[in-house]
Every structure is written in structure tokens, then in C-alpha cells.
Amino acid sequence: MLDHTHCFTEGDLETDIDGVDVDDSRIYGLFPEFMPHLSDNAIIAAIGRLANVTNGDIKAAVESVPPAWGLTQNTRDKWGQMIVARRDKVGATITAALVAQRNLWA
């Protein structure tokens, strides 16, 4: 099981969701050890899979969070919108960013 505690915010999702920067251009988890395993084809394939995640998929995932977690519908809506915006931002920028990063390590 993965702990996704700070996957979206550094604190409480309910109170911090409005402060999430979906335009953050940093690439998280891109360690030098991973660079030899990246190729243009792998990057393009991953972006294709990301593009196939529909707004409906995201909404269903957010709505599947148990009510016991205490999220209001307003927070669920904002969370879904944030994930959609981040999906679109990453899809539009990650290929060029990863190629540039790979060239730094080459």
C-alpha cells in the first residue's frame, strides 16, 4: 500500500486545496538512476496513457473516496478540477521537460 498523504497538498486537503499550484513545472521523482530507462518512445507512450484518463475517470476516483474521510462535495469538486488541470498541464509540457532533463544527464 502507498501512503499518498502529501500527494496533493502538504497539509489537509480540505483546507489547502485552494493553494495547490497546478502550474508547478518541477518533475518529481526524476532521479539520475532513472534516466537510462527513459526513451522518447516511453515518454510519448506515458503521455498517451495520461491523455486517456478522462474527466469522468477523475470524477469517479474522487467520488470513490469514502465519506468517512470527511471531504465536502465542494472539496471533491475542487480536487477533481485540480487533477484535470494538472493532467492537462503535464500532458502539454512534460515531453519537452523530460527531453531537456535527459540531455543534462547525457
Side-chain angles (χ1 to χ4, degrees), residues 29 82 85 100:
M82 187 247 336

Side-chain angles (χ1 to χ4, degrees), residues 27-38 98 101-106:
I27 301 173
Y28 296 90
L30 183 61
F31 301 108
E33 298 83 3
F34 296 158
M35 299 309 281
H37 304 285
L38 288 179
L98 283 175
Q101 288 292 319
R102 285 180 39 232
N103 289 336
L104 287 175
W105 295 102

Side-chain angles (χ1 to χ4, degrees), residues 22-101:
V22 297
D23 290 323
D24 185 346
S25 62
R26 291 177 289 180
I27 301 173
Y28 296 90
L30 183 61
F31 301 108
E33 298 83 3
F34 296 158
M35 299 309 281
H37 304 285
L38 288 179
S39 68
D40 291 349
N41 288 341
I43 294 167
I44 292 166
I47 294 305
R49 287 190 302 275
L50 179 63
N52 286 330
V53 177
T54 68
N55 293 7
D57 295 332
I58 293 168
K59 181 174 177 53
V62 169
E63 293 299 327
S64 74
V65 172
W69 288 16
L71 296 178
T72 64
Q73 189 59 50
N74 184 50
T75 296
R76 289 173 190 271
D77 293 343
K78 287 180 181 180
W79 192 17
Q81 292 164 5
M82 187 247 336
I83 295 170
V84 166
R86 186 65 182 159
R87 176 205 58 203
D88 295 345
K89 170 71 177 184
V90 169
T93 61
I94 197 73
T95 301
L98 283 175
V99 169
Q101 288 292 319

